[in-house]
Amino acid sequence: MMKRCVSPVAAALLLLCAAASWADDYSDTMEMFKNAGASREFFDKAYGYAVFPGIGKGGFIVGGAHGTGRVYEHGQYVGDVSMTQVSVGLQAGGQGFRQIIFFEDKRAFDEFTSGSFEFGADASAVAITAAAGASTGTSGGQKDATTAGKYYKGMATFTIVKGGAMYQAAISGQKFKYTPKARTQARSG
C-alpha cells in the first residue's frame, strides 16, 4: 500500500529533475569527462564506454533515477542503453547528473552489453564536482578533478553533477538494458 502512494511522488520528482537533463548532447558530455582530470586517461586505454548525458534522480525516502545513453566500443557507437534505479532509505531531493562507465576489457564490455546488467551493492562512482567532493574525497570543479578513479571488476564509473541537491549518492542497484544499434543494410557495390 505504501509503495503505491510513494511511487507517484518519486516519479513526479524524477520527472522534474530529469527534464533539465534531456537537452544535453553526447559529444559535449564526453568532452566534459575528457577535460575532467582523472577520467581523461580512461578514454585512451578503455576497451569501451557508456555515456549518459543526463540522468535525473529524485526521491523522498523512496527514490528513483532514469537516463538513456549510448555505448561505444573502441570509440565507435554500437548501441543504446537505458538506466533505471529504485532505492529506499534515507534520501531527499532531486538532482541531474552526467555519468560515464569505462570498460577495461572485452570481458567487462560483454558483461555490460549482454542485454541486462546491474551494479551490485559494492559499486561506487567517482563524483567530479566541488559539491560531491566533500563526501567522496575529491576536490575541484568539473574541469579540475583530483580523484583516484580505478577499475573495479573491469569497470570505472564517473559522474558530474549538473544541478540540484540530493542527500544520497550511490550507483548500486542501477539496472541497465542494452540494445545494439540497428545494423545498416549491406552496402551496395
Side-chain angles (χ1 to χ4, degrees):
M1 176 79 170
M2 183 177 167
K3 185 178 180 180
R4 289 184 191 171
C5 295
V6 178
S7 294
V9 172
L13 284 170
L14 177 63
L15 289 174
L16 285 174
C17 45
S21 301
W22 291 335
D24 284 357
D25 163 77
Y26 291 96
S27 59
D28 287 346
T29 298
M30 287 188 285
E31 197 60 35
M32 289 184 84
F33 283 107
K34 286 178 182 177
N35 292 327
S39 60
R40 172 184 7 197
E41 65 189 53
F42 284 80
F43 281 94
D44 295 331
K45 299 175 183 175
Y47 180 85
Y49 46 89
V51 177
F52 296 86
I55 294 176
K57 184 177 204 172
F60 183 74
I61 301 175
V62 175
H66 180 75
T68 57
R70 289 184 177 169
V71 176
Y72 296 81
E73 182 178 21
H74 299 299
Q76 298 297 311
Y77 166 49
V78 296
D80 298 304
V81 62
S82 64
M83 186 284 298
T84 57
Q85 180 183 32
V86 176
S87 55
V88 178
L90 183 58
Q91 57 190 317
Q95 77 180 171
F97 61 96
R98 295 169 177 87
Q99 180 169 304
I100 191 164
I101 304 165
F102 291 100
F103 311 114
E104 184 175 26
D105 51 29
K106 184 171 178 10
R107 184 213 51 81
F109 178 85
D110 289 345
E111 182 180 356
F112 186 85
T113 60
S114 65
S116 295
F117 174 81
E118 181 176 352
F119 276 133
D122 55 352
S124 63
V126 174
I128 305 176
T129 67
S135 62
T136 63
T138 64
S139 65
Q142 292 182 356
K143 293 186 178 182
D144 183 30
T146 56
T147 60
K150 294 184 174 141
Y151 285 109
Y152 179 71
K153 296 184 179 180
M155 297 183 200
T157 304
F158 295 84
T159 62
I160 296 176
V161 176
K162 295 167 70 170
M166 179 99 183
Y167 180 75
Q168 189 229 26
I171 62 168
S172 60
Q174 285 187 346
K175 295 179 182 180
F176 301 89
K177 185 173 186 334
Y178 173 76
T179 306
K181 183 176 158 183
R183 304 282 182 215
T184 57
Q185 295 288 344
R187 295 182 184 150
S188 57

